[in-house]
Amino acid sequence: MDTVLIVVVIIVLGGLALTGLLLGSLSSSRSLDQRSSTRTQMSRIVAAQRQDRKSVVDPSAVRDVYRSAEEAKVDKVQTSELTLEKRLKYAQWKMPPPVYRLCQVTISLVMCYLVSLKFNQILTAISLLSGPLFMSWLLNRFMDRRFKAFDTDYSPFLLSVVSLLKTGMNPIQALETAATELEPGSLIKSEVHLMLERLRYGVPEEKSIGAFGEDIYHPEIELFVQALLLSRRVGGNLSDTLERLSKQVRKRQFFREAAISAVGMQRGSIWFILVIMVVMELYLYFVFPETIMDSVKDDIGWQVWQFGFIVILLGLYWIRQVTKIRV
């Protein structure tokens, strides 16, 4: 009877997962339709503005431009949200979001079946979270690895660019020279070379510079890109701006490392307590094995063991959420 119930639960969860995938694909198609309609409306604005430039200053033409702008108003879409598509891009995972969701569902169902063979219904239900938690942890690991590879060389790279700008070089030459001084496997070096290659192939300057570090999740990249674009467009002292940016990057690195050290002590203490508990259980098993084996074989004792596992898992998850550090 328990096996039939478990099979029914797995089938229902699989149906819910497939329904979620279908709803996700429908929402993505709607967002694409919204983007295409937004582009069409913006092209109407540009066409009206160009027509207004060709003609003599006419109040009726100006009213037409404002009327077109009013008609093209759309709801502002939040672009700063870290969606799944952006996370996959930052981690350099070449897979669409439905495949990622399918991996989550598959891992959850497999773990649910394996846990149901020995443990109770509560742990079986908790095992359904294994797929989302594991895939999210793995995705965050890949994102953090690229973030650290970029952040390690970012501040020295900015200081090198500042010193080269003060010698009289233009920004593009300074970027190229500073990038050549980095190590061969540097992520900043590859990004600068990609930007310069786009410029050589005739890609517009704003698009070439704007695409710098677009697949890296780092908060200071946008500031660097905007400072470089503004200096190329209106001029100004770029070296002072980049020098202040490098100081900000170093301060953020210092505070981030201090926070990670403080949090690491708390997490380390939790793992130390868990190790002591495991050592004590092993000691009891070797000294008085009947205590451990009889409690496992007994129904009530096995339920107490499983309740302890649940409390430990919830405690680990709670500690990780409390000590989570955002970039």
Side-chain angles (χ1 to χ4, degrees):
M1 187 64 182
D2 293 337
T3 306
V4 175
L5 180 61
I6 292 170
V7 172
V8 172
V9 170
I10 293 175
I11 293 174
V12 172
L13 292 174
L16 292 175
L18 292 176
T19 305
L21 291 175
L22 292 176
L23 291 176
S25 61
L26 288 175
S27 62
S28 62
S29 62
R30 290 177 182 174
S31 63
L32 289 175
D33 294 338
Q34 185 179 4
R35 291 177 184 174
S36 61
S37 63
T38 304
R39 291 176 182 173
T40 304
Q41 291 171 348
M42 292 302 297
S43 62
R44 290 172 56 189
I45 295 176
V46 174
Q49 291 173 344
R50 288 177 179 174
Q51 184 179 2
D52 179 61
R53 287 180 180 178
K54 292 179 181 179
S55 61
V56 185
V57 178
D58 187 7
S60 62
V62 176
R63 286 194 298 270
D64 292 337
V65 173
Y66 283 113
R67 190 180 303 110
S68 300
E70 289 293 333
E71 292 176 356
K73 280 185 177 180
V74 294
D75 295 333
K76 184 178 179 181
V77 180
Q78 184 68 23
T79 58
S80 61
E81 182 182 359
L82 191 60
T83 59
L84 179 59
E85 290 83 0
K86 291 182 180 179
R87 293 177 65 194
L88 292 173
K89 181 181 179 181
Y90 293 146
Q92 292 290 288
W93 282 15
K94 306 299 182 182
M95 67 168 62
V99 177
Y100 178 84
R101 300 296 186 189
L102 183 61
C103 293
Q104 288 181 329
V105 173
T106 303
I107 294 174
S108 296
L109 293 179
V110 171
M111 289 300 298
C112 178
Y113 174 73
L114 294 176
V115 172
S116 65
L117 297 177
K118 187 64 178 176
F119 297 92
N120 56 17
Q121 286 80 7
I122 299 177
L123 279 174
T124 303
I126 293 176
S127 65
L128 292 173
L129 301 174
S130 59
L133 291 177
F134 175 75
M135 292 298 293
S136 179
W137 171 80
L138 192 62
L139 186 61
N140 290 332
R141 290 285 293 180
F142 276 80
M143 288 175 56
D144 291 340
R145 185 174 65 180
R146 288 179 59 82
F147 167 80
K148 292 177 181 178
F150 186 90
D151 190 66
T152 302
D153 298 330
Y154 193 35
S155 181
F157 170 74
L158 291 177
L159 291 177
S160 179
V161 172
V162 169
S163 62
L164 292 172
L165 288 174
K166 290 182 179 180
T167 60
M169 283 189 179
N170 62 55
I172 301 300
Q173 291 178 349
L175 290 174
E176 186 175 6
T177 306
T180 55
E181 297 175 357
L182 298 175
E183 296 180 357
S186 176
L187 189 57
I188 295 181
K189 185 175 183 178
S190 62
E191 289 293 328
V192 173
H193 286 171
L194 285 175
M195 181 181 66
L196 297 176
E197 188 176 356
R198 286 191 293 264
L199 288 172
R200 293 190 185 99
Y201 278 109
V203 180
E205 194 174 59
E206 291 189 358
K207 291 184 179 179
S208 300
I209 298 175
F212 176 81
E214 62 180 357
D215 57 349
I216 302 170
Y217 185 57
H218 198 284
E220 273 85 16
I221 292 180
E222 186 64 25
L223 297 176
F224 171 74
V225 170
Q226 294 298 327
L228 189 57
L229 287 175
L230 288 175
S231 68
R232 301 291 291 178
R233 187 182 304 170
V234 300
N237 195 350
L238 180 61
S239 60
D240 292 341
T241 304
L242 294 183
E243 189 173 4
R244 288 193 295 269
L245 180 59
S246 65
K247 292 180 180 179
Q248 178 180 344
V249 171
R250 290 197 301 271
K251 287 181 180 179
R252 288 180 68 103
Q253 289 176 351
F254 173 76
F255 288 123
R256 190 185 304 116
E257 291 175 358
I260 290 174
S261 300
V263 168
M265 294 180 61
Q266 303 300 325
R267 290 183 177 180
S269 62
I270 296 299
W271 286 108
F272 182 71
I273 293 172
L274 288 178
V275 170
I276 291 178
M277 292 174 58
V278 173
V279 171
M280 290 178 63
E281 294 294 334
L282 292 175
Y283 176 76
L284 287 175
Y285 176 77
F286 286 109
V287 174
F288 193 32
E290 291 80 6
T291 305
I292 304 297
M293 299 306 299
D294 291 344
S295 63
V296 172
K297 294 178 181 179
D298 186 69
D299 292 336
I300 298 177
W302 181 235
Q303 295 298 325
V304 173
W305 275 93
Q306 294 181 82
F307 177 75
F309 291 153
I310 294 172
V311 172
I312 292 173
L313 291 176
L314 292 177
L316 290 176
Y317 178 76
W318 179 71
I319 289 295
R320 187 170 183 82
Q321 292 300 116
V322 170
T323 58
K324 183 182 293 185
I325 299 176
R326 294 187 178 182
V327 179

